[in-house]
Amino acid sequence: MAVLVESHATLGDAQRALGSDGTYLGGGTLVMREVNAGALQGRILRTSDPALRQIRPSLDSVEIGAGVTMAMILAERDLAHLHPVARAVGGPQVRVMATVGGNLFAVHPYGDLTVALLALGARVVSAGGAQRPIEDFLRERDRTGLVATVQVPRPREPRGFAFLKVSRVKPKGVSVLSVAAHLPRDGGRLRGVRIAFGAMGPTPLRAQAAERVLEGSALTPDLIARAAAAATDGLDPPTDALASAWYRREVAGVHLRRLLERML
Ligand SMILES: Cc1cc2nc3c(=O)[nH]c(=O)nc-3n(C[C@H](O)[C@H](O)[C@H](O)COP(=O)(O)OP(=O)(O)OC[C@H]3O[C@@H](n4cnc5c(N)ncnc54)[C@H](O)[C@@H]3O)c2cc1C
């Protein structure tokens, strides 16, 4: 069967034309790999809708179009807190193509940016205008339709957000696991803690047991040790070619501790 590429003027037009047999093309780093391997055929839909490439900062959040690439994030001063995350996605050739929208749908071992967006408490806005918290989006992503933008809260303090990716191959390897933490402070105490892991389940997931340990307290080495001990409670990491579930459980707390120590 041949591949038929359809270009649409807007994301809304692409959404209406998608049907159950169409595949949307973002930057194509994953879709075109499947096409080239002969694993994906049929209708492929794309759009050059300029709205998808916009980054709109406001006082306490930044709205990022789904077609914004990792390279565009790296060029945007208002997204400086996401630079270490965007830099961790593939090599330079991947980063000029790989989009925010595609990352939201990328399955393990990919999706590093999505881990950061989950920790920051982003909201995902679909082509029809519906908005949902990113954890709801991740639970339903097979049936959410096309994504237009993500609204990403800005961390209030310079050390309020941190990200760490663990890979065997440096600097471009895929994640054995990744972890991001958002620790807003109120009068010296942590309020609204969010910690997210990649590669610890079928989609990026929050480490809610570790969050509960930190919530409402001042960040200290002792508290960090207790949060690290709870890192994988309630999580069910996979075994794959990169690492076993046992290994991921063993090292997740170590990496969470190192990440949180950077935020002291
Ligand atoms: C060599 C290589 C290295 C990589 N390394 C990493 C890495 O280190 N970390 C990482 O996270 N990823 C990595 N990736 C995976 C990938 O490049 C990224 O996850 C990227 O962000 C995917 O975006 P894309 O625009 O290329 O997606 P595409 O290939 O265009 O699409 C991927 C999926 O998302 C869907 N999609 C895309 N945009 C939208 C939208 N707006 N609305 C709804 N659905 C949409 C597509 O239909 C498709 O199902 C790598 C890929 C390659 C080839």
Side-chain angles (χ1 to χ4, degrees):
M1 201 163 100
V3 170
L4 175 69
V5 179
E6 298 175 16
S7 287
H8 293 273
T10 67
L11 187 72
D13 292 345
Q15 175 67 74
R16 281 184 285 280
L18 194 62
S20 56
D21 62 335
T23 300
Y24 181 75
L25 180 74
T29 56
L30 296 174
V31 168
M32 290 313 297
R33 195 162 71 171
E34 282 190 61
V35 170
N36 291 337
L40 178 65
Q41 298 175 329
R43 296 169 60 234
I44 293 186
L45 291 82
R46 62 175 293 278
T47 175
S48 47
D49 191 336
L52 286 184
R53 309 269 290 180
Q54 288 179 0
I55 299 174
R56 289 208 205 91
S58 62
L59 200 58
D60 52 8
S61 68
V62 184
E63 186 169 47
I64 309 176
V68 167
T69 64
M70 302 302 140
M72 290 168 72
I73 289 176
L74 284 166
E76 174 60 57
R77 206 186 316 170
D78 276 300
L79 294 174
H81 55 291
L82 290 178
H83 288 183
V85 190
R87 209 174 284 118
V89 174
Q93 289 157 315
V94 169
R95 291 197 285 270
V96 294
M97 304 292 291
T99 65
V100 171
N103 205 271
L104 287 168
F105 289 88
V107 295
H108 170 72
Y110 299 138
D112 292 322
L113 182 74
T114 304
V115 173
L117 298 180
L118 178 59
L120 285 166
R123 294 182 71 81
V124 179
V125 183
S126 67
Q131 280 188 30
R132 33 170 94 69
I134 187 165
E135 40 268 81
D136 293 355
F137 165 83
L138 289 170
R139 270 193 294 271
E140 303 159 2
R141 71 179 169 185
D142 293 343
R143 47 186 193 282
T144 52
L146 300 185
V147 171
T149 63
V150 281
Q151 294 175 344
V152 188
R154 289 178 196 258
R156 285 197 304 260
E157 304 91 6
R159 280 179 292 121
F161 173 76
F163 169 84
L164 184 152
K165 170 173 169 174
V166 182
S167 57
R168 295 192 190 279
V169 180
K170 306 280 191 295
K172 294 195 288 184
V174 292
S175 290
V176 171
L177 63 85
S178 55
V179 55
H182 185 204
L183 306 185
R185 288 168 169 88
D186 181 7
R189 294 188 178 275
L190 305 176
R191 304 266 180 226
V193 172
R194 293 177 67 101
I195 297 171
F197 272 115
M200 298 298 276
T203 65
L205 291 168
R206 286 174 67 183
Q208 289 177 325
E211 291 175 355
R212 280 194 294 274
V213 171
L214 299 177
E215 185 67 31
S217 300
L219 192 64
T220 62
D222 182 52
L223 191 73
I224 289 175
R226 288 201 282 127
T232 59
D233 289 2
L235 299 178
D236 187 14
T239 291
D240 56 28
L242 297 164
S244 66
W246 173 86
Y247 179 81
R248 288 192 165 99
R249 279 191 186 286
E250 285 293 303
V251 301
V254 175
H255 292 295
L256 178 59
R257 177 177 54 72
R258 289 180 186 162
L259 183 82
L260 296 175
E261 283 172 353
R262 280 165 36 193
M263 304 174 84
L264 274 168

